[in-house]
Amino acid sequence: MNRSRAALSSTWALMVLMLSTAAYGAGVSGRVVSSDDGSGIEQASVTLVFPEGHSGPAAITVFTGPDGKFTFADEVLPKREKVVLTARKLGWRQVEPVAAVKEHEASTIYLARTSNIAKEAPASAWFADMPAGDARNITLAGCSSCHQMASPRVREYAEKIEAVNNGPGGDRKALGEWRKLVRHESWRAVVKYMRSKHYAVFPQESPMNLDAIDWPTAQNADYNFFDARQGEIIASYLAENFPTNTANLSADNYQYGAPLGVSAKTVIREYAFDADALVREMVPTPDSPYLWGADVRRNLIVRLDPRSAETKWIKVDFNGSTGPHTIVPDDAGMLWVSMIDHDQFGRFDPHTGKWTLWTLRPTNLPDTQAIGGGAIVHDMSIDSRGHLARDAFGKIWVTLVGSNQMGTLDPDSGEVAFYDVNTLDGLSPINHLIYSTVVSADGKQAWYSQVNGYVGCIDTATHKVVKVIPFAEGEGPRRMARDNEGHLWVALFGSGRVAKIDMAKGEIVGTYEMPDTAASPYAVTWDERRKVVWVVNANSDVIYRLDPLTGKSTVYPLPRQMAYLRQLAIDPHSGKLVASYGNYPEGSGPSMGLVIDVGDD
């Protein structure tokens, strides 16, 4: 059998298999082996991609065992005649495609090691050799909030910068200075462009959409997620440090940094959404077989049946754009939805299909269509399970990005109130980017995070800030979770770490560096069943499992690139992980939900 290394240039195996209905009934199995010696390759991912129109997931991924064997169980395979089978492992490429699979016949997939992983490495890999420090953290926190950094489009732009020519001839020093100027001005142009793209986070019909505002407003740094000084830091850091050649990346320059946690029992199912959807996150509910997601761009929430992959899209009952952003279940099976447009916050009853909406708008907001003119209701208070949590007085707490405030809602009376939090000199309200909120087990504390600021705590009786925990600029405290032993876990988006806070003392009692410090950990989720912290990331196409007892992490690779995750939920019955890919703008990455059976039961 010819196993020439020149057979394919792709690092990942790609095979089109023509399978009979009978073969599906028998399941699909095989082995992934090294082309050098035929030894099995452990923990390679093998994905079945199904054609449109079938009933079930768009793709199913399993992983090889110690001997390189993989199996897709009978019950996961719909009866279709044609699928695409792909195999992946970082640092390897396919040597020879498999032609066909007959009934009961196993497939053997040959992979060979490769030295260049540029096309397959995650976006974070390009920061591996870039200098660490505050500037790097600020760059990651500022750029990765919407899209992966450095995404393929960013790398393409960087290559075009290097292609600019016609500088001064004959003088190497002058040419060097000219090229440096070109880089700085080019990256400043990117920062300017990204300021305007902040408005793409709003729904298509929003009065704050980029098409509806003027250019000076779009460029006003006080209405952005990073201020003018941070913008210059980002431009300078990229101009001075971003690789000038991204066609090559040595396999030695990027590794996962920790052992893989997947096994032959791990299964990942992916469900395709509409290409123009932007489902930021997805959650299960306690009493329903369905999964629910929030489509921020189309003013919809989605109900997904993970058995059939059937979707039902539900419009928010509001005369205008809303931008459903964060979706959280409660113990009764209701869904609570924060909305970034028109100051809306809602509750949806899946049993009756009815909405209840409240308007949350502080009186100190300016009358402008810019981002700073909206409350931008972001996250709501949760408990250790990620379910909606009320404080000791029955109130729900929310974060308001537009005013850097915390708000409360009493759903029973409809009473709404707003409270100031800590501020940092030089930052406008929205520059702080207040983000996540978690209520303590006794309901007496409401904690909040600021991506460009600190973590703080409000006493729910006095409504005063009683604890403020500082973080270095660029650390990026983002989404938080609490366990059941009085600890608050905080994803540090810019520095690639996770902080552990003693909620009673208001002190950091542990800091854990993630295996890839450019991963941009977006959110943490406490898993009471496994007693671990799950960490989802913007840049690294993986999920981390952090063991609080040892402080060590294991890595769960996701089936595809541009796998940007903003939240992770845990099914209360099965323990499966539930999430969705959420790249801004819509269409810049996969539009899919996913369910992960860790395989550790």
Side-chain angles (χ1 to χ4, degrees):
M1 180 178 292
N2 179 17
R3 297 195 289 269
S4 170
R5 290 176 178 265
L8 288 176
S9 60
S10 170
T11 301
W12 311 122
L14 178 63
M15 288 74 59
V16 178
L17 302 183
M18 303 301 294
L19 302 177
S20 67
T21 300
Y24 264 99
V28 175
S29 63
R31 192 163 178 250
V32 179
V33 301
S34 169
S35 64
D36 292 333
D37 57 12
S39 60
I41 300 175
E42 186 178 8
Q43 295 177 316
S45 66
V46 184
T47 302
L48 281 172
V49 181
F50 300 106
E52 294 184 10
H54 72 89
S55 177
I60 303 174
T61 298
V62 298
F63 294 83
T64 55
D67 54 1
K69 290 183 179 179
F70 65 89
T71 300
F72 291 88
D74 298 46
E75 64 272 16
V76 306
L77 297 175
K79 296 187 184 325
R80 288 284 160 182
E81 294 183 353
K82 182 178 180 180
V83 297
V84 174
L85 181 65
T86 65
R88 299 179 61 180
K89 189 171 177 70
L90 188 64
W92 296 77
R93 64 173 177 85
Q94 181 207 2
V95 173
E96 185 174 87
V98 176
V101 172
K102 299 178 181 179
E103 185 175 359
H104 304 298
E105 183 179 71
S107 303
T108 301
I109 304 172
Y110 293 92
L111 301 180
R113 290 192 180 277
T114 182
S115 59
N116 183 9
I117 60 171
K119 292 183 178 180
E120 292 77 26
S124 58
W126 301 99
F127 279 78
D129 289 335
M130 294 169 66
D134 290 349
R136 180 180 189 260
N137 296 346
I138 291 168
T139 300
L140 285 166
C143 297
S144 301
S145 285
C146 294
H147 60 82
Q148 289 198 335
M149 187 65 186
S151 69
R153 291 187 66 185
V154 172
R155 302 199 296 271
E156 180 184 1
Y157 183 85
E159 290 173 0
K160 290 180 177 178
I161 293 175
E162 297 309 311
V164 174
N165 52 27
N166 293 327
D171 186 333
R172 180 174 295 182
K173 182 177 180 181
L175 179 60
E177 290 299 316
W178 178 81
R179 290 221 54 80
K180 183 177 180 180
L181 179 63
V182 168
R183 290 192 189 102
H184 276 261
E185 290 306 316
S186 297
W187 286 110
R188 286 190 182 104
V190 170
V191 169
K192 183 179 292 188
Y193 173 68
M194 290 303 170
R195 288 206 184 282
S196 65
K197 292 297 285 185
H198 275 90
Y199 288 85
V201 305
F202 291 95
Q204 294 161 346
E205 302 86 1
S206 172
M208 284 188 276
N209 192 285
L210 183 59
D211 294 334
I213 61 171
D214 58 51
W215 184 247
T217 299
Q219 288 299 300
N220 189 333
D222 288 341
Y223 294 152
N224 266 201
F225 299 155
F226 53 83
D227 67 9
R229 184 183 61 84
Q230 291 169 332
E232 181 58 26
I233 290 172
I234 292 169
S236 296
Y237 181 80
L238 293 173
E240 295 166 10
N241 300 294
F242 196 83
T244 58
N245 180 358
T246 58
N248 296 284
L249 181 66
S250 170
D252 295 331
N253 280 10
Y254 181 80
Q255 298 174 352
Y256 284 129
L260 300 188
V262 295
S263 72
K265 295 182 179 180
T266 305
V267 182
I268 302 177
R269 294 173 173 85
E270 297 174 294
Y271 300 86
F273 295 134
D274 297 342
D276 61 345
L278 206 168
V279 180
R280 285 181 47 100
E281 52 204 60
M282 199 165 62
V283 298
T285 57
D287 62 347
S288 169
Y290 300 115
L291 304 176
W292 300 84
D295 185 344
V296 68
R297 285 289 277 165
R298 301 192 303 173
N299 302 299
L300 303 169
I301 64 171
V302 61
R303 188 191 75 181
L304 169 68
D305 186 336
R307 300 159 298 184
S308 66
E310 179 185 3
T311 55
K312 180 180 180 180
W313 299 89
I314 302 164
K315 191 178 187 304
V316 180
D317 187 15
F318 181 78
N319 186 24
S321 60
T322 55
H325 182 279
T326 303
I327 186 166
V328 169
D330 66 17
D331 293 345
M334 298 287 188
L335 292 160
W336 297 79
V337 184
S338 67
M339 309 180 204
I340 60 172
D341 212 4
H342 283 105
D343 315 316
Q344 293 301 293
F345 181 73
R347 179 181 64 206
F348 178 73
D349 185 340
H351 304 100
T352 65
K354 293 184 178 179
W355 285 92
T356 304
L357 297 177
W358 295 270
T359 299
L360 303 177
R361 182 175 179 82
T363 57
N364 63 338
L365 283 172
D367 184 16
T368 173
Q369 297 301 330
I371 293 177
I376 312 182
V377 187
H378 200 276
D379 274 17
M380 68 206 81
S381 48
I382 57 173
D383 61 16
S384 63
R385 300 163 299 166
H387 287 196
L388 183 88
R390 300 192 188 196
D391 68 13
F393 306 96
K395 296 179 180 179
I396 298 168
W397 288 77
V398 298
T399 52
L400 304 177
V401 170
S403 59
N404 188 38
Q405 290 178 307
M406 293 279 277
T408 58
L409 165 68
D410 185 332
D412 302 322
S413 67
E415 178 187 0
V416 174
F418 306 98
Y419 306 101
D420 292 333
V421 299
N422 70 287
T423 60
L424 278 74
D425 291 342
L427 296 186
S428 70
I430 196 170
N431 288 159
H432 288 79
L433 197 51
I434 193 170
Y435 218 81
S436 174
T437 180
V438 175
V439 168
S440 60
D442 60 10
K444 295 181 179 180
Q445 298 177 346
W447 290 80
Y448 62 88
S449 63
Q450 299 165 320
V451 177
N452 290 322
Y454 301 156
V455 168
C457 173
I458 290 182
D459 184 304
T460 59
T462 65
H463 306 135
K464 302 294 184 182
V465 176
V466 293
K467 297 181 178 75
V468 175
I469 301 173
F471 285 87
E473 185 178 16
E475 285 253 61
R478 206 159 198 132
R479 276 188 159 155
M480 309 183 296
R482 69 167 174 86
D483 59 26
N484 291 309
E485 297 181 355
H487 300 125
L488 186 71
W489 296 85
V490 186
L492 300 179
F493 191 64
S495 65
R497 304 193 298 168
V498 170
K500 179 182 179 182
I501 294 173
D502 185 315
M503 299 172 75
K505 296 179 180 179
E507 298 175 356
I508 298 174
V509 294
T511 304
Y512 308 86
E513 188 170 284
M514 294 297 96
D516 177 352
T517 57
S520 291
Y522 203 102
V524 289
T525 300
W526 173 251
D527 187 337
E528 180 64 22
R529 175 183 300 205
R530 300 177 177 92
K531 298 292 193 295
V532 300
V533 178
W534 293 100
V535 186
V536 296
N537 307 286
N539 288 334
S540 57
D541 300 339
V542 303
I543 296 173
Y544 296 132
R545 174 175 174 159
L546 171 62
D547 184 343
L549 294 180
T550 65
K552 296 181 178 179
S553 296
T554 50
V555 180
Y556 289 74
L558 295 167
R560 64 192 65 244
Q561 294 177 284
M562 302 292 285
Y564 192 126
L565 299 186
R566 297 177 185 269
Q567 187 60 291
L568 182 76
I570 300 174
D571 186 286
H573 304 297
S574 67
K576 294 177 181 178
L577 314 182
V578 177
S580 62
Y581 302 129
N583 286 276
Y584 281 110
E586 72 277 12
S588 61
S591 179
M592 309 178 86
L594 63 156
V595 177
I596 302 173
D597 184 344
V598 177
D600 58 356
D601 291 339

